[in-house]
Amino acid sequence: MNKRCKQCRELKSIFMFARTTDSYGKIKYLTLCKACKSLNVRTKRKEKKELDFVSVYDPTEHAADAFKDDPRAEKEHDYGKVSRVATYFPKGGLND
C-alpha cells in the first residue's frame, strides 16, 4: 500500500510513515514520511541551538555604563510634552 507525503509529495510505501492509534483503536498513519519528519526536527533543533547561542547573557552589554549618551545631548533640555499640530488648508485650496 502506498501513500503520498504532504511535504515532499512523493508516493512512498506505507511503512515509511509513522503510526498512531486513535481513541477507537484504529491505526492511523501520519501525513509526513519519516524522512521529512526527521528533517523538520533536525532544522528545528538547529534553529533552537542558534537562538540559545544568541540569547546568552553578556555582562558587558548589560552593564550600567554600557551605553553612554552623546555629549551634545547632555546639554539639550527637553521641556514637557511635544505635540504636532496638523497644517490647516482652507476649503477652497491653497491658491485662494
Side-chain angles (χ1 to χ4, degrees):
M1 187 171 183
N2 294 331
K3 185 173 178 165
R4 190 172 300 275
C5 177
K6 258 191 170 177
Q7 186 170 338
C8 64
R9 303 275 186 213
E10 291 181 21
L11 198 63
K12 296 183 178 180
S13 171
I14 196 78
F15 300 111
M16 296 298 295
F17 293 86
R19 292 187 331 182
T20 58
T21 308
D22 65 0
S23 59
Y24 299 108
K26 186 175 180 184
I27 295 174
K28 301 262 184 171
Y29 290 92
L30 299 182
T31 56
L32 294 180
C33 64
K34 292 178 183 178
C36 292
K37 188 175 179 183
S38 65
L39 180 68
N40 291 346
V41 169
R42 193 177 318 130
T43 53
K44 280 183 185 179
R45 283 182 186 159
K46 192 180 288 185
E47 289 172 0
K48 186 174 186 254
K49 190 175 184 180
E50 290 173 2
L51 184 68
D52 290 344
F53 179 74
V54 170
S55 64
V56 172
Y57 178 77
D58 186 13
T60 57
E61 186 176 307
H62 295 286
D65 60 342
F67 299 102
K68 301 239 182 205
D69 279 340
D70 186 15
R72 294 173 292 174
E74 292 176 356
K75 297 174 188 171
E76 293 179 1
H77 298 286
D78 294 332
Y79 297 108
K81 180 180 177 183
V82 178
S83 61
R84 180 177 176 269
V85 178
T87 307
Y88 172 73
F89 294 114
K91 196 171 191 179
L94 293 174
N95 296 331
D96 283 347

